[in-house]
Amino acid sequence: MAGQGSLSNLRNIGIMAHIDAGKTTTTERILYYTGRSHKIGEVHDGTAVMDWMEQEQERGITITSAATTCFWKDHQINIIDTPGHVDFTVEVERCLRVLDGVIAVFCAVGGVEPQSETVWRQADRYQIPRIAFVNKMDRIGADFDKCVEEIAERLGARPVAVTLPVGSEDTFSGIIDLITMRMLRFDEATQGLRITEEAIPDDLQSKSSAARMTLLEKLADFDEGVMEKYLEDQEVTPEEIYRALRKATLSLDLVPVLCGSAFKNKGVQPLLDAVIRYLPSPLDIPPVEGEDKGGNIVTRKASRSEKFCGLVFKLQTDAYVGNLAFIRVYSGELKLGDKVFNPLKRKKEKISKLLKLHANKREEVGSIGAGDIGAVVGLKFTTTGDTLCASGDWIVLETMDFPEPVIGVAIEPRSKADEGKLAESLERIVREDPSFRVSVNEDTGQTIISGMGELHLEIVVDRLIREFKVSANVGQPQVAYKEALTRTARAEGRFEQHGTGRDQYGHVVLELVPGERGSGVQFESRVDGEQVPAEFIEAIERGARDSLDAGPLIGYPLVDVKVVLVGGSYDEETSTEMAFGVASTMACRKAAQEGEPVLLEPIMAIEVITPEEYLGEVINDLNRKRAQIAGVEAERGRQVVKAMAPLAEMFGYSTSLRSATQGRATFTMQFAEFAEVPPRQAEAIIHKIRGV
C-alpha cells in the first residue's frame, strides 16, 4: 500500500487502444515481469488474467475494464486494462475520469485506427498525460516510422521516439534506447526476463544518432538546460533527458513513443521504466476540485491529512461479495468501519469491507489512502459517478456524462418463475453499466433493453443466461429513435378538480421551441410571481420533462426542445403542485402535437478497410444502405472508405461485408449523431410501429 511518503512512487494508469492492438497482451506481460503472475496468460488461449469473464475469453476481446496492482522498482502501479471495442466506450470514459496517466497502445501494422482516435480524444478531454507503445513490431507490414507519423497527423499530438526497433517483421530482434544509446536484446529462452545491453551496430548508428538529435531538438523547446547544451554541442546526460521529458509529458506537450512486441516478450520492461519516469504520480496532478453545499468551488489535495473524498467510478456485481464499488480516493483515507456521506444521494454509507483488486481476485485491506484505487463492498445507495466524503463534510466532484443508447431489443422471461429473477438481474446490470437502459413499452407491455450496439446487448443477454441463470427470449434489435419538433408551438393546460375531497387548480401556458441538435431538453420560466408563484415552477418543469419522455409520433423521447413557461394563473386556496404538474403535462402534449414533430434516427460513422479489388462492391453495398460516402483514401495498399449510415440499415453488416469481400475487409462503426429520417422511411416506420 502506498503510504503518504511514497505517493510520489504511485502511478494510476490505464491501457487504452483500438480493438486488437494488444492492450491485454501488454498488460499480461507487465504482470509477469513485475512478478504479479508466475505464468504468462494469453488472450488467444483464453488464459489472460485480465480477461476473466467467460465472454471475454471466448471472443478474445476485453469487455469490462479490469483493475490490478503491481510493483516495479519501488513504485506501485495501479493498472486498468480498458476495452477497445466501440460498444464499450463508456468503460473507457469512466476509467479515464479517475486515472492520472495512460499507455496508448498502437498496432505497428494498423497504425492509428478509428477507436484509437476516439479514446485519444477522451484522454484529451480529461487532459491526461500519455506515453505511446507501438506494439506488434514482429508482424508482417509493421512500420514504426509510419505509426509515429500517424500519431502526429491524425491525433494532433507531438510524438517523440525514445526507442527505435532493431529490424521489423520476422527480423525484429530488439530495441535501441535513444537516451542511453545502447541496444537492448530480450532473451527468448527466459521469455524476455533477461535483457542484455550491447553497443549499437554500425549499420544503425547514423539512424540512431539522427533520432536522438530529433529527441533533443524537441526537448530543447521545453527545457532551457537541454536547449543550452544542445546549442553549444555539449553532451546531454540521460538524467537531464529524463527530467526534461517528464516535464514535457506532464504538461501534455510531448508524447514519448516506445516500441516492441508484447506477444514476443520484447520491449515491455522499458515501457514499465517509462511509466515511472514520465507519467504522473497523484502529487503531480492539480488538487481535485468539487462543489460545496452552496455551489462554491472547493479543492482537496492528495494527502492523507486532508478530509476524505473519493469518486466511485464503476460498480460491478460479484458472485461472492455482492456489489463491488471501484473507488479512486483523492484525499484523506478511507478506513474499514468508517461511516461516509454521499452528498448526491444525501445518504450515509458504512464501509464494511475494503479490497485491493487483481482482475477477479481480491485482497482485503484495512484502508485505502489518498491517490490510491481500490474497491468497497456493500454500498447501498451509491451509483457510478457519485462522490463519497467524510461524514459531516460536503463536496461533490465533477460527475460523468454517459451517451444515450442507440439500439434496443425486446426481452421476456421464458417462464413465470423467471419473471422476478429477470427484473432483478436487469436492475443489477443497470447499476453496473450507465450506458445500458431498461424500459417498458406502455402500448405493448414489453420490456426493452437498450445499449450502445449489437455486441453490447449480446454480452448482456449472455451474462443473464450464464451469470444470473435467467432463461429469456430476445427479440430482433430495434433502433432507438428520437422525436423532435420543427416549429414553435404554444398550448394551454388547465387542471381543475372539484368535489373529491379537496379542490385543486393549476393553469399554465407553455411554448415548445425547437433547439439545436444535441441541445437536450431545457426549461425556462418567463412568468412573474403574480401569474404563477415560484413554489410551483419546479412542479411545472417536472411535469413538462415527464411528458417529453414519450413524443407525439410513436412514443419515442422528444429531444432538443426548449420548454418556456409564458403564462398561467393560480388560486390561493386550491392551487397545488400536483395540479400544476398535470396542467404542464397536458399543455406539453398539446403543443408537441402542433409542433410538426419529425422522427430522428441514430447515424453511425463507419470506416471500412478493404483490398482494392472489392472497393466498388463495398461502395455499392453502402449506397444501398442509405450511406453517405465521406471519402475514400488509399493506405498501405488497402482502401479506406469513410461513410455515415443510419443504424437501421447496418444490422448484420459484418455478414454482408464478409460475403462481398471473401472475408478480407474489416469495418468499425460508432455512433455519430441523430438526424431526421427521410419522410418516406419515417412514414413506413410510423405505420409499422403503430400497427396501422
Side-chain angles (χ1 to χ4, degrees):
M1 189 65 50
Q4 177 58 43
S6 60
L7 263 186
S8 57
N9 287 5
L10 176 61
R11 301 287 179 273
N12 292 311
I13 64 161
I15 299 193
M16 64 180 201
H18 183 87
I19 191 167
D20 216 20
K23 296 180 304 303
T24 302
T25 305
T26 304
T27 313
E28 294 299 324
R29 298 311 184 269
I30 287 174
L31 297 182
Y32 180 62
Y33 296 129
T34 56
R36 239 316 174 175
S37 300
H38 301 298
K39 177 175 157 289
I40 292 179
E42 298 294 7
V43 174
H44 59 272
D45 292 339
T47 57
V49 175
M50 300 300 274
D51 283 351
W52 53 272
M53 284 171 75
E54 284 175 52
Q55 293 88 341
E56 295 178 309
Q57 291 168 0
E58 283 168 13
R59 289 172 174 80
I61 62 167
T62 301
I63 292 166
T64 177
S65 43
T68 190
T69 302
C70 58
F71 294 85
W72 181 253
K73 296 186 177 171
D74 295 331
H75 285 67
Q76 176 186 331
I77 306 175
N78 293 329
I79 303 174
I80 296 183
D81 174 25
T82 63
H85 195 286
V86 65
D87 282 13
F88 306 106
T89 307
V90 169
E91 278 288 320
V92 184
E93 180 83 23
R94 58 185 175 183
C95 294
L96 288 176
R97 171 70 182 80
V98 296
L99 292 172
D100 303 332
V102 159
I103 300 172
V105 180
F106 298 94
C107 169
V109 183
V112 175
E113 295 168 283
Q115 187 63 5
S116 326
E117 295 187 43
T118 306
V119 292
W120 194 271
R121 305 270 169 262
Q122 287 173 308
D124 278 345
R125 191 162 65 248
Y126 289 116
Q127 302 239 305
I128 299 178
R130 276 143 272 184
I131 55 181
F133 181 60
V134 178
N135 191 25
K136 302 194 176 187
M137 280 306 307
D138 59 311
R139 289 269 301 279
I140 291 170
D143 188 335
F144 177 73
D145 296 336
K146 180 89 171 72
C147 200
V148 175
E149 260 172 54
E150 284 185 8
I151 292 172
E153 286 166 16
R154 288 201 181 181
L155 304 177
R158 294 188 62 176
V160 55
V162 292
T163 66
L164 285 185
V166 178
S168 73
E169 302 181 356
D170 51 3
T171 65
F172 176 61
S173 59
I175 62 172
I176 289 167
D177 183 333
L178 295 175
I179 299 175
T180 60
M181 287 302 272
R182 300 288 287 167
M183 183 168 83
L184 306 178
R185 285 198 192 279
F186 301 84
D187 179 35
E188 287 182 22
T190 60
Q191 291 186 302
L193 272 173
R194 198 163 71 236
I195 305 170
T196 52
E197 276 193 29
E198 301 170 16
I200 297 171
D202 293 345
D203 59 334
L204 292 173
Q205 274 288 356
S206 63
K207 186 179 181 184
S208 305
S209 300
R212 192 176 202 267
M213 289 304 281
T214 305
L215 168 64
L216 292 175
E217 258 170 45
K218 287 189 175 174
L219 281 179
D221 291 345
F222 306 104
D223 188 283
E224 284 182 14
V226 173
M227 182 188 268
E228 267 175 40
K229 287 196 165 185
Y230 174 71
L231 293 174
E232 291 168 15
D233 276 345
Q234 289 179 8
E235 182 58 39
V236 185
T237 67
E239 273 60 40
E240 288 170 319
I241 296 177
Y242 295 143
R243 193 176 60 245
L245 195 47
R246 178 179 180 78
K247 197 169 87 183
T249 307
L250 295 184
S251 60
L252 305 180
D253 288 312
L254 291 178
V255 177
V257 185
L258 295 93
C259 63
S261 163
F263 182 55
K264 289 283 168 68
N265 309 316
K266 292 180 171 72
V268 177
Q269 294 96 321
L271 179 63
L272 278 165
D273 290 339
V275 166
I276 61 181
R277 274 188 191 127
Y278 312 127
L279 290 182
S281 77
L283 299 176
D284 293 312
I285 58 168
V288 70
E289 286 189 349
E291 289 186 356
D292 65 12
K293 212 167 188 173
N296 306 308
I297 297 293
V298 284
T299 59
R300 293 276 189 274
K301 288 197 209 65
S303 158
R304 288 202 174 200
S305 56
E306 282 261 357
K307 286 180 185 167
F308 161 71
C309 89
L311 184 81
V312 171
F313 63 96
K314 174 181 160 74
L315 294 183
Q316 185 176 303
T317 301
D318 183 276
Y320 303 106
V321 294
N323 277 336
L324 268 185
F326 288 61
I327 187 167
R328 161 75 193 256
V329 177
Y330 282 100
S331 63
E333 192 174 10
L334 186 58
K335 295 194 200 77
L336 205 57
D338 276 358
K339 282 195 173 67
V340 294
F341 181 59
N342 179 335
L344 283 169
K345 301 285 190 293
R346 303 190 178 211
K347 299 274 189 187
K348 287 195 172 172
E349 297 269 25
K350 183 156 194 270
I351 305 301
S352 55
K353 196 182 273 189
L354 289 173
L355 302 172
K356 288 297 285 178
L357 300 163
H358 177 48
N360 64 337
K361 296 188 176 67
R362 318 271 179 248
E363 179 192 325
E364 287 194 35
V365 291
S367 67
I368 302 172
D372 217 339
I373 288 173
V376 184
V377 176
L379 297 181
K380 288 189 172 67
F381 311 104
T382 302
T383 53
T384 300
D386 284 1
T387 304
L388 292 179
C389 58
S391 217
D393 191 21
W394 186 293
I395 178 171
V396 176
L397 304 177
E398 186 194 345
T399 83
M400 294 174 259
D401 292 327
F402 298 111
E404 287 292 315
V406 295
I407 179 175
V409 296
I411 188 167
E412 58 185 33
R414 285 213 183 130
S415 67
K416 199 80 181 139
D418 282 314
E419 212 168 281
K421 216 169 168 191
L422 176 65
E424 190 188 316
S425 304
L426 288 174
E427 199 180 306
R428 285 166 78 176
I429 296 172
V430 167
R431 273 177 67 89
E432 277 183 35
D433 182 351
S435 63
F436 175 70
R437 310 277 162 86
V438 177
S439 58
V440 175
N441 183 315
E442 282 179 18
D443 299 332
T444 63
Q446 280 184 312
T447 300
I448 308 290
I449 56 174
S450 310
M452 302 308 296
E454 285 182 273
L455 180 63
H456 187 189
L457 295 185
E458 199 184 297
I459 299 294
V460 166
V461 172
D462 209 7
R463 284 187 64 197
L464 284 172
I465 295 163
R466 290 193 198 185
E467 202 178 308
F468 297 101
K469 308 283 188 283
V470 177
S471 299
N473 294 323
V474 180
Q476 290 300 307
Q478 303 291 319
V479 176
Y481 293 101
K482 302 261 189 266
E483 298 181 22
L485 301 184
T486 54
R487 72 179 191 86
T488 300
R490 179 183 284 220
E492 192 172 359
R494 186 186 297 272
F495 179 76
E496 291 184 76
Q497 190 176 38
H498 301 289
T500 51
R502 184 183 173 190
D503 288 358
Q504 296 201 64
Y505 175 82
H507 167 228
V508 297
V509 182
L510 293 178
E511 201 167 78
L512 298 190
V513 184
E516 294 280 311
R517 280 289 162 269
S519 61
V521 175
Q522 294 164 321
F523 181 85
E524 185 189 327
S525 170
R526 292 185 188 156
V527 299
D528 57 34
E530 285 180 14
Q531 285 174 288
V532 179
E535 66 260 30
F536 297 125
I537 302 294
E538 199 177 308
I540 295 168
E541 180 176 354
R542 206 163 45 239
R545 286 184 184 276
D546 287 350
S547 72
L548 297 177
D549 283 348
L553 282 176
I554 40 177
Y556 282 102
L558 194 61
V559 295
D560 305 336
V561 63
K562 186 176 192 180
V563 181
V564 186
L565 175 61
V566 291
S569 62
Y570 78 105
D571 181 286
E572 271 186 22
E573 301 291 317
T574 59
S575 280
T576 63
E577 283 193 15
M578 190 196 118
F580 272 105
V582 175
S584 171
T585 301
M586 290 158 67
C588 250
R589 288 200 172 134
K590 264 189 248 170
Q593 292 279 9
E594 290 161 24
E596 292 173 13
V598 291
L599 205 55
L600 304 179
E601 64 183 345
I603 302 293
M604 310 303 278
I606 294 148
E607 189 166 291
V608 184
I609 299 172
T610 175
E612 187 141 9
E613 60 261 41
Y614 301 112
L615 182 62
E617 191 60 46
V618 166
I619 288 176
N620 288 341
D621 189 31
L622 283 171
N623 285 333
R624 283 194 292 272
K625 296 181 185 301
R626 296 198 280 133
Q628 303 267 311
I629 308 293
V632 181
E633 50 193 61
E635 195 178 278
R636 306 189 187 197
R638 298 168 301 172
Q639 296 291 326
V640 180
V641 182
K642 293 186 179 180
M644 304 286 269
L647 174 65
E649 305 286 346
M650 296 306 294
F651 292 135
Y653 181 59
S654 52
T655 311
S656 67
L657 181 67
R658 268 202 293 273
S659 58
T661 62
Q662 295 178 6
R664 292 176 60 198
T666 59
F667 83 102
T668 53
M669 176 166 84
Q670 57 193 24
F671 171 70
E673 62 186 3
F674 274 94
E676 192 176 326
V677 181
R680 246 185 43 222
Q681 273 90 3
E683 208 172 305
I685 294 163
I686 292 166
H687 275 281
K688 187 180 168 194
I689 291 176
R690 282 185 181 162
V692 178

